[in-house]
Amino acid sequence: MCELLGMSANVPTDICFSFTGLIQRGGKTGPHRDGWGITFYEGKGFRTFKDPKPGYQSAIAQLVQNYPIKSKAVVSHIRQANRGHVNLENTHPFTRELWGRFWTFAHNGQLTGFEDLDTENHRPVGQTDSEQAFCWLLKKLDDVYPLPPANMKDVYRYIASCCDQLKEMGVFNMLLTDGEYVMSYCTNHLYWITRQAPFGKATLIDEDVEVNFQEETSPEDIVTVIATQPLTANEAWTRMKPGEYNVFHCGELIESNAALLKDVPFAEAKPGC
Amino acid sequence: MCELLGMSANVPTDICFSFTGLIQRGGKTGPHRDGWGITFYEGKGFRTFKDPKPGYQSAIAQLVQNYPIKSKAVVSHIRQANRGHVNLENTHPFTRELWGRFWTFAHNGQLTGFEDLDTENHRPVGQTDSEQAFCWLLKKLDDVYPLPPANMKDVYRYIASCCDQLKEMGVFNMLLTDGEYVMSYCTNHLYWITRQAPFGKATLIDEDVEVNFQEETSPEDIVTVIATQPLTANEAWTRMKPGEYNVFHCGELIESNAALLKDVPFAEAKPGC
């Protein structure tokens, strides 16, 4: 399976520490050697770095680890291919415009029958189930909200109901952002943690790196990180339940269905995405 | 004014040499310090590197100069801002999907009355006349070709007729590509050169760099470079006429209205874009 990494923060924050942990799994401590990508929002604009090569060998990934780009919303992905060839058009995240905003999407899992998802004029460019699901989500949003909506909480609730449909087709772990909000949806593997004062130290699982967040932050900072597997060994990550969605804004959880869901056993993911 | 750089080639070719020339004008040998960007196509996928910082100081631009990404279609831009703030959402090139292809656009010039260009649901994210013009072009294409068209020459001819309308609003020098074709449209400043066997040496105007294309290429290579100003001192670049458009495919000129146009004096560009 692939791995996801997302961030929501109340001040522009760099994600070098977490990305350094994730990218080791791109062929070194993990089997995700079929490309990687990361999208940073800065205001309404974004920039994406991506490479169909293994992350741990990539000169571009090296730059992203060492060059702190500060952002309030980030989505990243490392790929172990299953549906679609290993090439740039199949490398996550995917970004498209809707309502004068750029939406960025990354997916972990596999969907059966994805070819039947009707995307109308939101046409996929590559061959993955993931991009087709993203285009279908945009089409559903376009149908229900032909004009830019005012109430974004309603929009994210509607997206969650669409994700419930996608979950019926297989494994659908997802990160989605419009640069303002960051949404996570879980079928089986997604964890999150919110860091705020008092900040402590954290140690990466995948690389011999420790960070003292107290030295890197100011007391008002709130930063949430979402990942397929916990990235640090000495912090308490919250595991999401099957069918759970969370919406973060400026680092804080503002919308979730977690309280409504029962604790049920997790189905194991099949490899690939 | 801004500066444009484009490339069309019959084999994946790196553009490090030309980009090294252009990027010096991003605050060093030229005044274009308000951001830069470059989009490389690889198959149907693309990747864009951009930065709202001056190009000649940018760590990301440094990577692009030194890390050869091979592509058959490239569009690049350095910006001297006039319309819209200096930030990421206003940094060219702009990329959007239409007909299951990614279209990439960069503009040099200024358009008066651009706010009246109706873009319907192809909404701009930033504030530039350039992005609004691009969204308007996509809307016009969507209107005329609601389904993916088969004859791309016809499509590019239609785009040229839309560019004629934009030219009436001010200065409109443009590069546009769908990853397969590269189109240039000129109001006043655009030059191009096709390099093919027998290859010679070329010397950059803006930096003390010489390249021997014979060592870098194979005899079948055909590479066209398009730029606002010639980038090399010892080669013969062709200046485009006002209202001229060219469409390149695999490095070769396949469509142009140049023969139909009279030689007329060039209007000087106002600064900014």
Side-chain angles (χ1 to χ4, degrees):
Chain A
M1 61 177 207
C2 309
E3 293 212 22
L4 299 168
L5 169 65
M7 187 188 79
S8 168
N10 64 341
V11 291
T13 303
D14 82 65
I15 196 170
C16 294
F17 176 70
S18 298
F19 183 74
T20 297
L22 180 79
I23 210 70
Q24 309 309 320
R25 301 179 186 176
K28 191 177 169 191
T29 61
H32 317 286
R33 48 172 52 257
D34 300 326
W36 63 275
I38 185 165
T39 299
F40 300 89
Y41 280 81
E42 292 162 74
K44 295 172 74 184
F46 74 96
R47 46 184 156 183
T48 296
F49 298 85
K50 56 170 67 171
D51 208 337
K53 291 181 189 162
Y56 88 104
Q57 290 176 336
S58 161
I60 303 170
Q62 200 70 46
L63 176 86
V64 176
Q65 286 175 74
N66 297 327
Y67 182 69
I69 294 176
K70 300 205 170 197
S71 174
K72 292 166 76 176
V74 175
V75 166
S76 179
H77 183 272
I78 52 174
R79 182 166 183 236
Q80 186 183 4
N82 183 293
R83 304 236 192 272
H85 298 294
V86 177
N87 57 31
L88 202 53
E89 68 255 35
N90 290 337
T91 304
H92 306 224
F94 304 104
T95 302
R96 300 272 179 125
E97 178 272 333
L98 183 71
W99 307 323
R101 303 167 183 232
F102 288 117
W103 293 77
T104 296
F105 169 98
H107 167 227
N108 152 358
Q110 276 189 85
L111 304 176
T112 302
F114 71 94
E115 302 87 347
D116 299 330
L117 291 167
D118 180 12
T119 66
E120 277 185 12
N121 61 340
H122 297 275
R123 294 182 180 86
V125 172
Q127 298 81 38
T128 61
D129 50 356
S130 309
E131 191 192 12
Q132 183 122 1
F134 178 39
C135 291
W136 177 79
L137 279 174
L138 294 174
K139 181 251 179 207
K140 298 286 280 183
L141 288 169
D142 216 358
D143 284 351
V144 174
Y145 301 98
L147 293 176
N151 187 329
M152 290 306 289
K153 271 198 186 182
D154 279 353
V155 171
Y156 279 100
R157 275 186 213 113
Y158 176 67
I159 295 171
S161 73
C162 295
C163 292
D164 290 339
Q165 294 181 57
L166 293 170
K167 179 171 166 279
E168 294 304 307
M169 300 170 68
V171 176
F172 188 70
N173 301 301
M174 176 204 81
L175 294 176
L176 178 73
T177 180
D178 65 346
E180 183 81 19
Y181 302 85
V182 177
M183 175 178 182
S184 55
Y185 184 91
C186 178
T187 294
N188 56 5
H189 283 297
L190 219 42
Y191 292 77
W192 62 280
I193 187 168
T194 299
R195 297 183 182 123
Q196 51 193 324
F199 289 99
K201 290 181 183 176
T203 311
L204 285 181
I205 292 171
D206 296 85
E207 184 78 340
D208 189 15
V209 176
E210 186 186 71
V211 68
N212 185 343
F213 287 116
Q214 201 166 2
E215 292 169 3
E216 308 282 331
T217 53
S218 68
E220 296 75 30
D221 291 7
I222 303 173
V223 182
T224 291
V225 175
I226 310 147
T228 296
Q229 299 288 346
L231 291 164
T232 55
N234 61 334
E235 296 180 301
W237 292 67
T238 304
R239 185 168 190 174
M240 290 179 67
K241 298 171 191 170
E244 180 178 333
Y245 75 92
N246 292 327
V247 181
F248 300 93
H249 184 250
C250 291
E252 297 190 76
L253 184 66
I254 60 153
E255 175 72 25
S256 175
N257 64 344
L260 307 173
L261 297 171
K262 289 181 195 162
D263 285 320
V264 294
F266 288 91
E268 278 314 298
K270 295 173 196 165
C273 64
Chain B
M1 60 174 207
C2 309
E3 294 212 21
L4 298 168
L5 170 65
M7 187 186 80
S8 169
N10 65 340
V11 291
T13 302
D14 83 65
I15 197 171
C16 295
F17 175 70
S18 298
F19 184 73
T20 297
L22 180 79
I23 210 70
Q24 310 308 320
R25 301 179 187 177
K28 191 177 169 191
T29 60
H32 317 286
R33 48 172 53 253
D34 300 326
W36 63 274
I38 186 164
T39 298
F40 300 89
Y41 280 80
E42 291 162 75
K44 293 173 75 183
F46 74 96
R47 45 184 155 183
T48 296
F49 297 85
K50 54 170 69 174
D51 208 336
K53 291 182 189 160
Y56 86 104
Q57 291 175 335
S58 162
I60 303 170
Q62 199 70 46
L63 177 86
V64 176
Q65 285 174 74
N66 297 327
Y67 182 71
I69 294 176
K70 299 206 170 197
S71 176
K72 291 166 75 176
V74 175
V75 167
S76 179
H77 182 272
I78 52 175
R79 184 168 182 235
Q80 185 181 7
N82 183 294
R83 304 233 192 275
H85 299 293
V86 177
N87 57 31
L88 203 52
E89 68 255 33
N90 290 336
T91 304
H92 307 222
F94 304 105
T95 301
R96 301 270 179 127
E97 177 272 332
L98 183 70
W99 307 322
R101 302 166 182 232
F102 287 118
W103 292 77
T104 295
F105 169 97
H107 167 227
N108 152 356
Q110 276 187 85
L111 303 176
T112 303
F114 69 94
E115 303 87 347
D116 299 329
L117 290 167
D118 180 11
T119 67
E120 280 186 10
N121 61 341
H122 297 274
R123 294 183 180 86
V125 172
Q127 300 80 40
T128 60
D129 50 355
S130 309
E131 192 192 13
Q132 183 120 2
F134 178 39
C135 291
W136 176 80
L137 278 174
L138 293 174
K139 180 249 179 210
K140 299 285 279 182
L141 288 170
D142 216 356
D143 284 351
V144 174
Y145 301 98
L147 293 175
N151 187 329
M152 291 305 290
K153 271 198 186 182
D154 279 354
V155 170
Y156 280 99
R157 274 186 214 115
Y158 177 66
I159 294 171
S161 73
C162 296
C163 292
D164 290 339
Q165 293 180 57
L166 292 169
K167 177 171 168 278
E168 293 304 307
M169 301 170 69
V171 175
F172 189 71
N173 300 302
M174 177 204 82
L175 293 177
L176 178 73
T177 180
D178 65 346
E180 183 80 19
Y181 301 85
V182 177
M183 175 180 182
S184 55
Y185 185 90
C186 177
T187 294
N188 55 6
H189 284 296
L190 219 43
Y191 293 77
W192 62 280
I193 188 168
T194 298
R195 297 182 182 123
Q196 52 193 322
F199 290 99
K201 291 181 182 176
T203 311
L204 285 181
I205 291 171
D206 296 86
E207 184 79 343
D208 189 16
V209 176
E210 186 186 72
V211 68
N212 185 343
F213 288 116
Q214 200 166 4
E215 292 168 3
E216 307 282 330
T217 53
S218 66
E220 295 75 30
D221 291 6
I222 303 173
V223 181
T224 291
V225 175
I226 310 147
T228 296
Q229 300 287 346
L231 291 163
T232 54
N234 61 333
E235 296 180 300
W237 292 68
T238 304
R239 185 168 191 174
M240 290 178 69
K241 299 170 192 171
E244 179 178 335
Y245 76 92
N246 292 327
V247 181
F248 300 93
H249 185 252
C250 292
E252 295 190 77
L253 184 66
I254 60 153
E255 175 72 26
S256 174
N257 64 345
L260 307 173
L261 297 171
K262 289 181 195 164
D263 285 319
V264 295
F266 288 91
E268 277 313 299
K270 294 174 195 163
C273 64

